Amino acid sequence: MRTRRMAAAKVGSNLSHKIGRDCHQHGVVAEEIDGLIKAYKDGRVERPQIVPCVTSTLAPGLGVTSRDTVIDNFTNIWARFYVPIKFQGKLPLLVYFHGGGFCVGSAAWSCYHDFLARLAAKANCIIMSVNYRLAPENPLPAAYDDGIKALKWLKQQALSVCTDNWWTSQWNFSDVFLAGDSAGANIAFNVITRLDSFNAGQAAAAIKPLTLKGIILIQPFFGGEARTHSEKHSVQSPRSALNLAASDTYWRLALPCGASRDHPWCNPLAKGSVKLEDFGRFPIMVCISEMDILKDRSLEFVASLGRAGKRVEHVVHKGVGHAFQILSKSQLSQTRTLEIMARIKGFISGI
């Protein structure tokens, strides 16, 4: 199929925030993050394609096969599936949402293609990597709507007796997990909260016969008007995947016009947000990076879930920053990436 060629993240760029600059060729720039996105006041958006988009082809030695499938022709939502070929029996399914501040990224990015193929092999699970609509052309809740649409599409596959999808014979639809990193983790969380007003019983009925078993949030992209200690004081290198100015820009581009960072979609702990006591009884795992500006916000989120009586576990990966598992090739990052994969495998198999 023809996939949308989403623009790519710039690894190693200076993610400084620039606003209101004049460009003699293209008009007035309203918002910009260097190397990632440039939004003009006339509504046009540019995303330099620096990380390549790749096809679903994989090396045979990995033991995983991959293909792309259309979810919705009208909105051009599609997904890339990863299926281990050496594993016998029914496999759990991990529905995964990529990161990128809601504004950049693609299921076809080479970094996600590599990471998720390896994760499928390591964790012995099928992965459905959803390519959702991006802001600012499609501001929130578009990405959440696309997540719900992906689950409803899966529901139809589970109900169909004549589906021709190549992966369904290996799929245990009673063993489904939602996951994502950064903005994708935010999407996974908000998809769950949108499933019938956070009522676990009603949410289960809404996607039956699918059975949601748990949620995996990797460096969840949350925010708030009040700055945390790590947001104010963490020193980020020019090669960091996220700094405070870039984070603020992403939220201005993604949230409804006029919304603050204490909007419930951004800040799940702000006044007016979902009461975590009412959140479904799904086990939650949160992966946090020690050098991430979002570290303290993630730890506060985990603590709040615990106080609300939720089944939550978390791990802090030492010495690495935001999105290290897809953007960094250092030896330390590779070691920590294997740790993340092992934790995900344990979480999936232990429930």
Side-chain angles (χ1 to χ4, degrees), residues 75 77 97 102 130-150 187 191 194 254 256 265:
T75 54
I77 305 307
F97 301 98
F102 306 104
V130 180
N131 200 72
Y132 54 87
R133 289 172 293 170
L134 299 178
E137 303 95 321
N138 301 282
L140 296 175
Y144 307 150
D145 293 340
D146 295 345
I148 296 291
K149 186 171 295 183
I187 293 170
V191 163
R194 290 167 69 84
W265 295 338

Side-chain angles (χ1 to χ4, degrees), residues 21-179:
R21 298 197 318 182
D22 289 331
C23 176
H24 68 279
Q25 291 181 321
H26 300 293
V28 178
V29 176
E31 301 278 2
E32 179 179 2
I33 304 173
D34 267 359
L36 286 165
I37 189 169
K38 186 181 293 185
Y40 295 92
K41 287 189 175 180
D42 63 8
R44 289 176 294 118
V45 178
E46 293 178 0
R47 298 179 178 89
Q49 188 162 336
I50 299 170
V51 172
C53 290
V54 297
T55 68
S56 60
T57 303
L58 289 170
L62 188 60
V64 175
T65 186
S66 177
R67 297 183 195 173
D68 295 340
T69 301
V70 174
I71 302 300
D72 183 74
N73 280 308
F74 181 75
T75 54
N76 200 23
I77 305 307
W78 58 275
R80 179 163 293 179
F81 281 83
Y82 301 87
V83 181
I85 59 180
K86 298 179 180 179
F87 190 86
Q88 300 298 317
K90 299 288 187 177
L91 296 171
L93 174 68
L94 188 70
V95 182
Y96 196 92
F97 301 98
H98 66 78
F102 306 104
C103 299
V104 298
S106 171
W109 270 10
S110 59
C111 53
Y112 278 108
H113 187 56
D114 174 70
F115 172 68
L116 294 178
R118 293 167 56 207
L119 179 59
K122 295 284 186 181
N124 293 322
C125 66
I126 298 172
I127 296 179
M128 175 189 184
S129 178
V130 180
N131 200 72
Y132 54 87
R133 289 172 293 170
L134 299 178
E137 303 95 321
N138 301 282
L140 296 175
Y144 307 150
D145 293 340
D146 295 345
I148 296 291
K149 186 171 295 183
L151 288 180
K152 290 183 176 179
W153 181 86
L154 280 173
K155 173 180 178 177
Q156 292 305 312
Q157 306 311 300
L159 290 171
S160 177
V161 296
C162 58
T163 180
D164 58 356
N165 280 315
W166 56 283
W167 52 272
T168 50
S169 63
Q170 290 182 258
W171 171 35
N172 180 1
F173 51 77
S174 295
D175 206 2
V176 178
F177 294 80
L178 289 193

Side-chain angles (χ1 to χ4, degrees), residues 231-302:
E231 288 172 339
K232 291 187 294 185
H233 300 295
S234 292
V235 177
Q236 301 294 302
S237 75
R239 299 179 64 84
S240 174
L242 185 70
N243 63 28
L244 195 57
S247 174
D248 289 352
T249 302
Y250 282 136
W251 283 118
R252 283 194 297 272
L253 291 170
L255 287 171
C257 184
S260 77
R261 292 190 306 275
D262 281 332
H263 191 286
W265 295 338
C266 177
N267 187 353
L269 304 183
K271 184 178 180 180
S273 298
V274 57
K275 294 181 179 179
L276 295 181
E277 292 82 356
D278 298 333
F279 188 67
R281 297 181 180 179
F282 311 106
I284 304 171
M285 182 175 76
V286 184
C287 298
I288 302 168
S289 295
E290 182 184 33
M291 311 304 291
D292 189 354
I293 63 169
L294 302 179
K295 179 187 71 173
D296 289 349
R297 197 169 293 280
S298 295
L299 289 171
E300 183 182 4
F301 175 68
V302 168

